[in-house]
Amino acid sequence: MKCAGPHRSRECPKPKDTPPKCLHCNGPHTANLTGCPKNPVNRRTFSEAPENAWADPAIIAKIKMPPTPAVEPNPATQFIPRHVQLASNANPPTQEVFFKQMSQMIWNAAGIKNKINQLKYFLLDWKPDILALQETHLNPGDRLKFPNYSSYRTDRLTHRGGGTAILIRNSIDHHPTPIASTTFENTTIELHLPDSTPITISSIYRPPHGSISTLELNNIFNSNSKCIAVGDFNAKHRAWNSGTWNSNGTIIHDYICNNNLILLAPCDPTHFPNHSNNPSTLDFGILKNFSSGDANSINALSSDHNPVSFEIDINVNLPAISKIIKTTNWSKFKQIMSTSLPGNPNIQNIKDIDEAITKLNSAILTAINLASRSKLINGNYRKLPPNIVKNITLRNQIRKRWQQTYDPRYRRTANRLTNQIRREIRDYDQESWKEWLMSLNQEDNSIYIAARKFSRKYIQIPPILDTDVNRAIRRYIDNPKPSSNIKLTSPQEILSLLKRINPRKATGPDGIPNKALKQIPTNVITFITKICNKCLLCNYFPTIWKTAHVLMFPKPRQNRKLPGNYRPISLLSNIGKIFEKIILSRLKEECHDLSIIPNEQYGFRAGHGCIHQLLRVANTVTQGFNHKFYTGGVFLDVRKAFDRMWHNGLIYKLIKFKIPNYLIVILINYLRNRTFRVKLNHTLSDIGSIKAGTPQGSILSPLLYTIYTSDFPKTNQIMNCFFADDTAILAQGSTINYVIHTLQKGLNNIEEWCTLWRVAINTDKTHAVMFRKGTSRKELNTLSFFDEDLTWDKEVKYLGLILDDKLTFRSHLKYNTEKFWAKVHLLIPLIGRRSPLTLENKLLLFKQVLRPILTYAAQIWGLAAFSNRKKAQILQNKILRIIVNAPWYVRNSVIHNDLKIQTIDEFIKELSRNFFQKLVNHTNPTLLDQLNYTHNNGKYAFPYATTKWSTPLKPP
């Protein structure tokens, strides 16, 4: 008991005045301490529950029959309901039995705000795996965070008091599973332990008034096959509380007996009222499908409730928090390596190379292990000084005396010591903070590390499984609605889809090319039709069509050594794509009928293009110029929009928008359990599963993304501009402060929306531009977005067009020049002066490849000054002279006339007239509004001026 050694206590060489060391848990107490969590004498075991005891009424009725004990029950075990049998003492477990335990504690804090420091050091001393808190009295804005623990809370929002929380070690895999209840407050999580069934942990607080609902308890205990509910139930019964009982105690006792549950409560009282000398046991646990456990009331912390420690056997090894420092003796390492490998190995073929590499790796790793020493660091990261620890021990002893005698002198002394300890801990923390600040310097970069750490605001990541979203999906799946009005396909529809497929598209995992599908006879078409109709009727998307071969295409001007700089494209089954097109046509009809897609979204919509969205931006900015307004714009960059789309969020929105049931179920099957294999050259990787996102290459992905972002925040003061995942917001006003304030308000709404729906924004590629004429020396206030400052840029690239703050398009034309010549250098073997290619083909390449680069978005940048437009004309002149191999004395006008090539201005005029003529018959109201700018009134011309028409399409 003194040193935990393998000898008798009287033979221990350790002096008597040294503190003892427990041989069970290595704690600072003797081994026979009743409060030792590892003492086998204190461990209580329960008989294993019969199979199907939870669901079979016959077995439940049999269990409810009380056994006839041979002897009187031990008063120490009276807290166990009578239907639960203790393990027989006649056959004790052998020493080979090893209990793998989970340490869990509960504490009714009665307000935790002023006890944070006490709890922090309590966690460092006891190191529980899980701590369940009740009566936290926290507001939503209060912070509850401890080192190495994740916190989950349910704050009371109606009135003061109440609230529950759970602290769980970060090393334990888990996720929150909120469960609604009205008769008690709860915070619930689910553990995912290795090689074990999930375990539900719930922290419960039931207020003193009212009755607890067994139906709400069923929601907790029906969530998993193994459940643990602990907390302050405010329930008294003779089974666990000496003396009085109340109605809620009877309800809980009957509920435990009727459902074959196990009650785990300490033998000592847990609640000591401040104004009464009637202690009681209100804090206990209820277990489902656990074999053994132990509960002890701990005299610690300052509250009218004692913390309760639970040791529950879960038969799973929990990952421990340990710190290992590994040091390597490099001189010894060199010595080992000098004798482990020959200097001139014999390598003859590829097999020898592989063997040599394997031998080299093995030798290096072996040498490092032999030359290294590992040291495991145990103990607390920070320990309280001995004087504070001594005061805490004294306070606990005096508090224990008061709980036994209720002498008010002990209580006053304990309260005085509690206040003194709180002040000493606060002073100790402040002194430690000062010492740490004084230790920062530039030599070891600690000052920069600290600045970087504290300059980033902590943002809690949304849980993997969400709250309302998951519950709505679970209710929808558990209560399926009958599908009606299913629009089946026909052989004619299949045939029309087959005619439109591209025969040159790559094949998918099944190896069937599109060229073969275009040649199939009628009987095969009807066969495919039958398959698709059965899929529609059964609301099923075949698993074989959910496997993709992923090709990795490098992004331009990116480091190709990094996997993140590749764009994954999925090759899917070509037959599966036919079924996807059938779903797509029906989903588009529903989106149109239900008006789901916002009018501001121009991406992946017929009759909409990038130029239409750029026209809205240019007209808005030009109107601001004419009215002497400022126009601020923020251009957002969504990170991996398709790859990170949240499946459950998308399904939730489909349900919310009332998409037909059969389409929702098919899309659920389409999204879930998808697999992929990366294909590099002719090699396939191992099979991987897709947990989020939609495959880039699927026909459904663009529309699904559009539906997912259809509820983007919208206000009257901000104009939203969408083209797929390219998003911009514009605000306009007569003062700069108003514009900045409006944009900041919009960014705050977008930040909340992105956090809720897990849309990642790349703030490094998000730009802000203030469009205005003239110059100003006044510095603009920065915008804040996801705790990052957005600086004001002079220009931004949006939808392939560089917009500068004065709409001169000088930068865009310079960018076009570089892009144009880069393409010319690739095509020079074909269109060069010495190329044998015919002139007709050279001109075709010019018209189809080179001129579109020069004239992209010319309907917008045609507003540029003549000096800027002339740069594009110079590029066209040069390339035409190269194509025809013209001598120096031939004029450019002669070359244009002979080749019948329009000048840049003439081509822009033709593009613009065709473009604006089509706007008149457009159905999108946001585009019809652009007809209001088809006039030449004002100091600064609108893009409509590029048509060279003198009359407007719509009178101003």
Side-chain angles (χ1 to χ4, degrees):
M1 296 183 182
K2 296 180 181 179
C3 67
H7 49 256
R8 296 177 180 273
S9 179
R10 61 174 177 265
E11 299 173 357
C12 181
K14 196 174 182 180
K16 294 182 179 181
D17 55 349
T18 57
K21 183 178 181 181
C22 177
L23 60 87
H24 300 300
C25 67
N26 292 328
H29 55 260
T30 57
N32 59 353
L33 180 69
T34 57
C36 177
K38 306 293 184 179
N39 194 337
V41 177
N42 297 328
R43 178 153 306 282
R44 305 180 180 95
T45 59
F46 311 103
S47 59
E48 187 174 348
E51 188 176 0
N52 298 326
W54 180 253
D56 194 344
I59 297 180
I60 292 178
K62 185 177 180 181
I63 294 174
K64 290 168 63 176
M65 297 178 60
T68 57
V71 295
E72 291 295 325
N74 188 349
T77 63
Q78 284 289 332
F79 71 96
I80 302 177
R82 43 186 186 172
H83 72 283
V84 178
Q85 299 180 6
L86 290 177
S88 175
N89 294 328
N91 298 313
T94 61
Q95 293 185 357
E96 285 77 18
V97 177
F98 175 68
F99 290 109
K100 303 174 183 179
Q101 305 161 358
M102 177 177 62
S103 172
Q104 183 174 350
M105 290 187 174
I106 62 173
W107 179 43
N108 186 317
I112 201 174
K113 286 185 181 180
N114 60 346
K115 304 169 186 176
I116 293 293
N117 286 335
Q118 296 182 49
L119 183 58
K120 177 176 65 175
Y121 291 103
F122 178 82
L123 292 174
L124 291 174
D125 289 338
W126 288 84
K127 301 182 180 65
D129 298 319
I130 300 173
L131 175 63
L133 300 172
Q134 298 83 41
E135 284 201 89
T136 55
H137 297 185
L138 294 176
N139 298 319
D142 297 329
R143 184 179 180 184
L144 185 66
K145 189 175 184 297
F146 297 93
N148 300 321
Y149 285 88
S150 298
S151 62
Y152 302 94
R153 296 159 41 187
T154 303
D155 300 329
R156 181 185 290 180
L157 304 178
T158 55
H159 53 281
R160 291 187 303 171
T164 57
I166 288 181
L167 303 178
I168 180 170
R169 280 203 285 117
N170 294 331
S171 58
I172 301 177
D173 190 13
H174 67 279
H175 69 262
T177 56
I179 296 177
S181 60
T182 56
T183 60
F184 57 85
E185 303 174 25
N186 79 91
T187 301
T188 306
I189 63 174
E190 183 176 298
L191 307 187
H192 290 273
L193 304 177
D195 301 328
S196 176
T197 58
I199 302 175
T200 296
I201 307 290
S202 185
S203 172
I204 292 178
Y205 172 67
R206 196 199 69 79
H209 307 289
S211 298
I212 193 169
S213 172
T214 57
L215 295 178
E216 293 181 347
L217 286 175
N218 283 337
N219 294 335
I220 294 177
F221 288 99
N222 286 337
S223 61
N224 266 317
S225 60
K226 290 187 175 183
C227 300
I228 301 174
V230 295
D232 179 7
F233 291 85
N234 273 305
K236 301 179 182 179
H237 194 273
R238 291 186 178 92
W240 63 83
N241 180 72
S242 59
T244 60
W245 58 275
N246 57 18
S247 59
N248 280 290
T250 303
I251 293 174
I252 292 179
H253 180 268
D254 293 343
Y255 180 80
I256 294 173
C257 294
N258 294 335
N259 293 283
N260 193 32
L261 302 179
I262 293 175
L263 176 69
L264 194 59
C267 299
D268 299 327
T270 63
H271 179 226
F272 301 88
N274 292 326
H275 305 290
S276 172
N277 58 353
N278 187 21
S280 57
T281 302
L282 303 179
D283 309 273
F284 51 85
I286 304 175
L287 282 63
K288 174 186 173 184
N289 291 336
F290 284 92
S291 60
S292 62
D294 186 26
N296 292 287
S297 177
I298 303 173
N299 182 31
L301 299 176
S302 56
S303 174
D304 56 348
H305 288 255
N306 277 354
V308 179
S309 172
F310 296 94
E311 292 289 336
I312 302 173
D313 298 324
I314 59 176
N315 295 324
V316 174
N317 281 325
L318 292 178
I321 300 177
S322 61
K323 295 182 180 179
I324 299 177
I325 294 181
K326 189 174 183 179
T327 57
T328 303
N329 186 340
W330 294 111
S331 299
K332 186 177 181 181
F333 170 79
K334 292 179 180 179
Q335 182 181 358
I336 296 173
M337 287 296 298
S338 63
T339 58
S340 60
L341 289 174
N344 186 20
N346 185 16
I347 300 177
Q348 299 293 339
N349 48 41
I350 295 177
K351 183 179 179 181
D352 294 340
I353 295 175
D354 295 337
E355 292 177 354
I357 294 175
T358 303
K359 187 176 181 180
L360 174 64
N361 294 339
S362 177
I364 294 176
L365 294 175
T366 303
I368 291 177
N369 291 333
L370 293 175
S372 301
R373 296 178 60 186
S374 298
K375 182 179 180 182
L376 178 64
I377 299 179
N378 293 320
N380 299 334
Y381 174 71
R382 291 180 62 192
K383 289 186 177 181
L384 290 173
N387 60 318
I388 300 180
V389 175
K390 183 178 179 180
N391 289 336
I392 292 176
T393 304
L394 179 61
R395 189 272 312 272
N396 293 340
Q397 293 174 353
I398 296 176
R399 193 166 178 268
K400 184 68 174 179
R401 293 278 184 89
W402 171 74
Q403 293 175 356
Q404 295 173 346
T405 64
Y406 275 88
D407 189 332
R409 294 175 297 177
Y410 290 132
R411 180 184 174 187
R412 287 194 297 267
T413 305
N415 291 341
R416 184 171 64 251
L417 284 174
T418 298
N419 294 331
Q420 179 182 347
I421 292 168
R422 186 181 296 119
R423 290 191 301 268
E424 290 177 348
I425 291 178
R426 184 181 64 247
D427 295 340
Y428 170 71
D429 286 343
Q430 291 179 352
E431 188 64 27
S432 302
W433 171 257
K434 291 179 181 178
E435 292 179 359
W436 180 76
L437 289 178
M438 296 298 295
S439 65
L440 301 179
N441 55 73
Q442 298 182 11
E443 285 73 15
D444 57 358
N445 292 330
S446 58
I447 185 67
Y448 306 111
I449 296 174
R452 185 164 56 250
K453 178 181 178 181
F454 285 92
S455 61
R456 296 177 181 175
K457 181 182 177 182
Y458 172 76
I459 300 177
Q460 186 173 1
I461 300 175
I464 298 302
L465 298 178
D466 210 350
T467 56
D468 297 336
V469 174
N470 248 11
R471 290 201 300 270
I473 296 173
R474 195 180 300 114
R475 287 196 302 266
Y476 185 88
I477 296 176
D478 294 341
N479 302 293
K481 298 180 181 179
S483 301
S484 59
N485 300 326
I486 298 178
K487 186 178 179 182
L488 301 179
T489 185
S490 64
Q492 290 77 15
E493 183 180 10
I494 298 294
L495 183 60
S496 63
L497 294 174
L498 291 174
K499 288 181 178 179
R500 293 197 298 266
I501 62 177
N502 188 351
R504 291 175 294 185
K505 288 288 186 179
T507 59
D510 55 6
I512 300 176
N514 281 340
K515 189 174 182 179
L517 293 177
K518 293 179 74 70
Q519 307 298 326
I520 59 176
T522 305
N523 62 317
V524 180
I525 293 177
T526 56
F527 192 86
I528 296 176
T529 305
K530 186 68 175 294
I531 293 175
C532 294
N533 283 333
K534 279 295 183 180
C535 291
L536 292 173
L537 291 172
C538 298
N539 303 338
Y540 176 67
F541 195 95
T543 304
I544 194 172
W545 291 344
K546 294 193 290 186
T547 300
H549 286 175
V550 179
L551 302 181
M552 308 298 291
F553 291 89
K555 297 180 181 179
R557 296 180 295 276
Q558 299 289 338
N559 185 1
R560 299 188 179 183
K561 295 182 180 180
L562 302 178
N565 293 334
Y566 286 79
R567 183 174 286 107
I569 301 298
S570 300
L571 299 181
L572 303 171
S573 170
N574 288 327
I575 300 179
K577 287 183 180 180
I578 296 175
F579 186 54
E580 289 184 18
K581 290 179 181 179
I582 295 173
I583 300 173
L584 179 65
S585 62
R586 286 142 182 77
L587 188 58
K588 279 186 176 180
E589 291 178 4
E590 297 297 334
C591 290
H592 180 269
D593 296 340
L594 299 174
S595 301
I596 295 176
I597 309 302
N599 294 325
E600 297 83 4
Q601 176 61 267
Y602 287 13
F604 310 115
R605 300 180 67 182
H608 297 72
C610 296
I611 311 303
H612 294 96
Q613 196 65 269
L614 291 171
L615 176 66
R616 293 183 66 217
V617 176
N619 282 336
T620 303
V621 174
T622 305
Q623 184 189 33
F625 290 165
N626 288 325
H627 290 81
K628 297 183 179 180
F629 284 172
Y630 300 93
T631 305
V634 178
F635 300 83
L636 308 176
D637 181 82
V638 181
R639 181 184 296 139
K640 298 185 182 296
F642 290 91
D643 297 338
R644 296 187 178 182
M645 192 193 308
W646 183 27
H647 286 175
N648 282 3
L650 174 61
I651 298 170
Y652 176 82
K653 293 186 179 182
L654 292 173
I655 299 172
K656 178 183 176 184
F657 292 141
K658 298 181 180 180
I659 297 294
N661 298 326
Y662 78 98
L663 286 177
I664 295 179
V665 178
I666 290 176
L667 290 173
I668 291 175
N669 283 306
Y670 168 80
L671 293 172
R672 291 184 174 176
N673 300 322
R674 297 194 70 94
T675 58
F676 71 97
R677 302 182 74 179
V678 178
K679 187 176 182 180
L680 183 61
N681 296 329
H682 299 286
T683 305
L684 291 175
S685 69
D686 294 334
I687 297 177
S689 59
I690 300 175
K691 301 297 183 183
T694 56
Q696 291 195 16
S698 172
I699 305 168
L700 288 171
S701 295
L703 182 59
L704 293 179
Y705 179 80
T706 304
I707 296 174
Y708 187 71
T709 57
S710 59
D711 58 348
F712 191 85
K714 183 178 180 180
T715 60
N716 295 329
Q717 294 80 17
I718 291 180
M719 185 180 79
N720 292 335
C721 303
F722 308 119
F723 193 90
D725 58 335
D726 290 319
T727 305
I729 59 172
L730 299 177
Q732 196 172 83
S734 58
T735 63
I736 293 179
N737 291 335
Y738 172 81
V739 174
I740 295 177
H741 176 74
T742 305
L743 287 176
Q744 185 61 64
K745 186 176 180 180
L747 289 176
N748 294 339
N749 295 334
I750 295 173
E751 183 175 342
E752 294 178 2
W753 181 86
C754 291
T755 303
L756 177 63
W757 298 108
R758 304 180 188 177
V759 177
I761 302 295
N762 192 347
T763 55
D764 295 334
K765 297 182 180 179
T766 298
H767 302 281
V769 177
M770 183 67 71
F771 299 96
R772 54 181 176 177
K773 289 291 185 180
T775 58
S776 176
R777 297 181 180 178
K778 184 178 180 180
E779 186 176 356
L780 301 178
N781 296 329
T782 57
L783 297 171
S784 177
F785 192 42
F786 283 102
D787 297 321
E788 298 285 346
D789 291 335
L790 300 181
T791 58
W792 293 97
D793 300 323
K794 293 294 183 182
E795 60 189 28
V796 64
K797 185 179 180 182
Y798 181 60
L799 299 180
L801 180 66
I802 298 179
L803 304 170
D804 56 277
D805 57 351
K806 294 179 174 55
L807 287 190
T808 62
F809 301 106
R810 186 180 297 110
S811 299
H812 177 74
L813 291 170
K814 181 180 179 182
Y815 166 77
N816 256 7
T817 301
E818 299 173 357
K819 187 176 181 180
F820 178 85
W821 284 118
K823 184 65 70 174
V824 168
H825 291 156
L826 297 176
L827 296 177
I828 203 66
L830 299 177
I831 63 175
R833 293 180 183 269
R834 299 179 181 179
S835 173
L837 198 65
T838 62
L839 180 60
E840 181 180 359
N841 290 331
K842 289 183 178 181
L843 292 178
L844 182 63
L845 289 175
F846 166 75
K847 294 178 181 179
Q848 297 295 328
V849 179
L850 296 178
R851 189 166 64 178
I853 297 175
L854 283 179
T855 59
Y856 173 76
Q859 302 93 323
I860 311 299
W861 65 259
L863 295 172
F866 175 76
S867 59
N868 291 328
R869 299 198 311 272
K870 186 178 179 180
K871 296 177 181 178
Q873 183 62 53
I874 292 174
L875 294 177
Q876 179 169 298
N877 295 340
K878 290 183 176 180
I879 194 61
L880 289 179
R881 298 185 75 88
I882 292 174
I883 287 175
V884 300
N885 194 18
W888 62 271
Y889 51 83
V890 178
R891 291 181 176 270
N892 293 323
S893 58
V894 173
I895 297 175
H896 281 75
N897 291 333
D898 292 342
L899 298 178
K900 297 181 181 180
I901 298 293
Q902 298 167 306
T903 62
I904 290 296
D905 285 342
E906 292 172 348
F907 188 75
I908 292 175
K909 181 177 69 174
E910 181 180 355
L911 283 178
S912 297
R913 290 184 176 183
N914 294 333
F915 175 78
F916 282 95
Q917 278 180 338
K918 295 178 181 179
L919 288 182
V920 179
N921 300 322
H922 213 283
T923 57
N924 193 327
T926 60
L927 274 177
L928 292 177
D929 291 340
Q930 306 311 308
L931 297 178
N932 297 324
Y933 305 105
T934 57
H935 57 81
N936 296 324
N937 301 337
K939 181 178 179 181
Y940 302 99
F942 293 98
Y944 177 74
T946 57
T947 61
K948 309 295 182 183
W949 281 331
S950 58
T951 57
L953 291 176
K954 183 177 180 181

